[in-house]
Amino acid sequence: MRNERVVAYLFVLPALGLFLVFRFFPLVAGSVYAFTDWNGIADARWIGLANFRELIFDPVFRDTMRNTAWVILSLPIWVGLPLLLAVFIHLGVPGAPFFRAAYFFPIVLSSIIIGTMFSIIMRFDGSLNQLFILLGLEPVDWLGDQRFALISVVSVAIWAHFGMNVLIFLSGLSAVPPEIIDAARVDGANLWQVIFRIIIPMLRPIVEFVAVITMITVVTSMFGLIYIMTGGGPGTATYMPEFLIWLMQGESNRLGYAAAMSIVLFAFVGCIGVVQIRMMRREWE
């Protein structure tokens, strides 16, 4: 028994080492540097809470968090659309094999490729506006107008992450007993009643999981699209926390200030995730 435990620990050791080196130690180091003035080269100078006080009055940081709040409000779209498509595919609607292949396509593309592709499509003289002109509509500056830039980037991000959520929901639907759905149909339930009164309640844990994971993705994984499509502009219209942290660290050489932003982002994501889980559980109960 003791030898088996030793072997088990040896198998876990590489993963634990990677976690400590690339996750735990950077988190601890970042927590320390958040209280310093450090440019990455000279010795770090301890300044206490000065970085966090600066964050409170930083207009760029406020704009970034406002953009983040708007994006989080779009979370029902990130979760609801993939859920409905997964249900339709599971129920075998016409064209299900096509949708099953189409939704998976964005997963195999990097954010750089997706951002470049949609930058060409959404530029002022791009194919999207050419379609608008053919339909007799006025062209829109999708990436250069503050009213549309964030919506455009978020729409592309939803498309890019759509397939993974569909895949997760399809995995959950495979555990739903088909006898229950058949019994509901025999009792006279229509399609929407089957979806909203039987299937979705049975997928409650999966919905909660996808909602939390998607929220984290929304806040922390849009850097590539923003960098390629808008560069954060126009102005600060498409700034997100991860992009602003990169600017402070990579271009302004303010690693201490960037570390303070990272700590705030970490706490923000954690709090939103906890609140989200509690609200969902209370709603389902």
Side-chain angles (χ1 to χ4, degrees), residues 79-93 169 173 176 180-185 188-204 207 284:
V79 178
L81 289 180
L83 175 58
L84 288 177
L85 179 58
V87 170
F88 289 146
I89 293 175
H90 180 73
L91 295 177
V93 297
F169 284 129
L173 285 166
V176 176
I180 297 179
I181 298 177
D182 294 338
R185 287 177 170 175
N190 58 36
L191 175 62
W192 297 108
Q193 289 173 330
V194 170
I195 292 175
F196 289 102
R197 302 211 174 167
I198 297 176
I199 295 179
I200 293 181
M202 295 186 69
L203 289 179
R204 184 187 71 179
V207 173
W284 286 112

Side-chain angles (χ1 to χ4, degrees), residues 15-96:
L16 179 61
L18 291 173
F19 172 79
L20 291 175
V21 172
F22 294 104
R23 295 291 184 180
F24 182 75
F25 291 146
L27 179 61
V28 174
S31 300
V32 174
Y33 286 128
F35 299 93
T36 66
D37 180 15
W38 185 45
N39 62 5
I41 300 175
D43 293 336
R45 181 172 62 89
W46 185 266
I47 58 174
L49 297 174
N51 286 328
F52 295 95
R53 285 196 295 267
E54 183 178 350
L55 280 176
I56 297 175
F57 301 101
D58 187 347
V60 177
F61 183 73
R62 288 201 300 268
D63 290 346
T64 301
M65 297 310 294
R66 184 189 65 239
N67 294 340
T68 303
W70 281 114
V71 175
I72 290 176
L73 289 176
S74 69
L75 190 62
I77 301 175
W78 293 71
V79 178
L81 289 180
L83 175 58
L84 288 177
L85 179 58
V87 170
F88 289 146
I89 293 175
H90 180 73
L91 295 177
V93 297

Side-chain angles (χ1 to χ4, degrees), residues 7-231:
V7 172
Y9 287 135
L10 290 176
F11 276 108
V12 173
L13 190 60
L16 179 61
L18 291 173
F19 172 79
L20 291 175
V21 172
F22 294 104
R23 295 291 184 180
F24 182 75
F25 291 146
L27 179 61
V28 174
S31 300
V32 174
Y33 286 128
F35 299 93
T36 66
D37 180 15
W38 185 45
N39 62 5
I41 300 175
D43 293 336
R45 181 172 62 89
W46 185 266
I47 58 174
L49 297 174
N51 286 328
F52 295 95
R53 285 196 295 267
E54 183 178 350
L55 280 176
I56 297 175
F57 301 101
D58 187 347
V60 177
F61 183 73
R62 288 201 300 268
D63 290 346
T64 301
M65 297 310 294
R66 184 189 65 239
N67 294 340
T68 303
W70 281 114
V71 175
I72 290 176
L73 289 176
S74 69
L75 190 62
I77 301 175
W78 293 71
V79 178
L81 289 180
L83 175 58
L84 288 177
L85 179 58
V87 170
F88 289 146
I89 293 175
H90 180 73
L91 295 177
V93 297
F98 167 77
F99 291 116
R100 192 181 287 271
Y103 80 79
F104 190 78
F105 175 70
I107 298 179
V108 302
L109 301 178
S110 70
S111 60
I112 304 300
I113 295 175
I114 294 174
T116 302
M117 179 173 64
F118 278 95
S119 294
I120 297 172
I121 294 173
M122 290 184 164
R123 66 187 184 186
F124 193 75
D125 59 346
S127 56
L128 183 58
N129 276 335
Q130 294 301 318
L131 177 62
F132 270 42
I133 293 173
L134 288 175
L135 296 175
L137 302 175
E138 291 293 328
V140 177
D141 192 359
W142 298 103
L143 303 178
D145 192 324
Q146 290 188 349
R147 296 173 299 172
F148 302 106
L150 185 60
I151 296 174
S152 300
V153 174
V154 171
S155 299
V156 174
I158 292 174
W159 179 83
H161 294 91
F162 195 86
M164 183 57 67
N165 288 344
V166 173
L167 192 64
I168 295 173
F169 284 129
L170 283 175
S171 300
L173 285 166
S174 63
V176 176
E179 296 82 5
I180 297 179
I181 298 177
D182 294 338
R185 287 177 170 175
V186 170
D187 290 339
N190 58 36
L191 175 62
W192 297 108
Q193 289 173 330
V194 170
I195 292 175
F196 289 102
R197 302 211 174 167
I198 297 176
I199 295 179
I200 293 181
M202 295 186 69
L203 289 179
R204 184 187 71 179
I206 307 297
V207 173
E208 292 178 356
F209 170 78
V210 171
V212 174
I213 295 300
T214 302
M215 189 275 298
I216 296 173
T217 300
V218 165
V219 178
T220 62
S221 300
M222 291 180 59
F223 173 82
L225 291 178
I226 293 172
Y227 181 81
I228 295 297
M229 295 182 67
T230 64

